[in-house]
Short mmCIF file of all heavy atoms in Angstrom, two decimals:
data_model
loop_
_atom_site.label_atom_id
_atom_site.label_comp_id
_atom_site.label_asym_id
_atom_site.label_seq_id
_atom_site.Cartn_x
_atom_site.Cartn_y
_atom_site.Cartn_z
N THR A 484 -107.01 80.49 -73.75
CA THR A 484 -105.93 79.78 -72.95
C THR A 484 -104.90 79.15 -73.82
O THR A 484 -103.74 78.89 -73.41
CB THR A 484 -106.48 78.74 -72.03
OG1 THR A 484 -106.93 77.58 -72.86
CG2 THR A 484 -107.68 79.21 -71.24
N LYS A 485 -105.16 79.10 -75.16
CA LYS A 485 -104.15 78.34 -76.03
C LYS A 485 -102.97 79.27 -76.43
O LYS A 485 -102.02 78.80 -76.97
CB LYS A 485 -104.90 77.88 -77.27
CG LYS A 485 -105.97 76.82 -76.95
CD LYS A 485 -105.39 75.50 -76.42
CE LYS A 485 -106.48 74.47 -76.33
NZ LYS A 485 -105.92 73.23 -75.76
N VAL A 486 -103.20 80.56 -76.31
CA VAL A 486 -102.14 81.57 -76.69
C VAL A 486 -101.00 81.41 -75.67
O VAL A 486 -101.05 81.91 -74.52
CB VAL A 486 -102.69 83.03 -76.66
CG1 VAL A 486 -101.52 83.91 -77.13
CG2 VAL A 486 -103.88 83.02 -77.66
N LYS A 487 -99.97 80.74 -76.06
CA LYS A 487 -98.76 80.51 -75.22
C LYS A 487 -98.96 79.54 -73.99
O LYS A 487 -98.07 79.35 -73.24
CB LYS A 487 -98.09 81.70 -74.74
CG LYS A 487 -97.59 82.62 -75.94
CD LYS A 487 -96.92 83.92 -75.31
CE LYS A 487 -96.48 84.78 -76.42
NZ LYS A 487 -95.78 86.00 -75.89
N HIS A 488 -100.20 79.09 -73.83
CA HIS A 488 -100.54 78.27 -72.64
C HIS A 488 -101.17 76.95 -72.95
O HIS A 488 -102.03 76.51 -72.26
CB HIS A 488 -101.37 79.06 -71.67
CG HIS A 488 -100.73 80.33 -71.23
ND1 HIS A 488 -100.88 81.53 -71.78
CD2 HIS A 488 -99.80 80.57 -70.25
CE1 HIS A 488 -100.18 82.44 -71.18
NE2 HIS A 488 -99.48 81.90 -70.24
N THR A 489 -100.83 76.35 -74.06
CA THR A 489 -101.25 74.96 -74.27
C THR A 489 -100.77 73.92 -73.27
O THR A 489 -99.56 73.87 -73.06
CB THR A 489 -100.85 74.50 -75.72
OG1 THR A 489 -101.41 75.44 -76.65
CG2 THR A 489 -101.34 73.07 -76.07
N LEU A 536 -94.38 76.60 -67.52
CA LEU A 536 -95.18 77.13 -68.70
C LEU A 536 -95.57 78.51 -68.51
O LEU A 536 -95.42 79.35 -69.39
CB LEU A 536 -96.48 76.15 -68.76
CG LEU A 536 -97.51 76.66 -69.77
CD1 LEU A 536 -96.94 76.54 -71.25
CD2 LEU A 536 -98.81 75.79 -69.65
N ALA A 540 -93.88 82.19 -70.22
CA ALA A 540 -94.66 82.91 -71.14
C ALA A 540 -95.09 84.21 -70.71
O ALA A 540 -95.54 85.09 -71.51
CB ALA A 540 -95.90 81.99 -71.46
#
Side-chain angles (χ1 to χ4, degrees):
T484 70
K485 298 294 185 180
V486 181
K487 298 183 180 180
H488 297 96
T489 299
L536 173 64

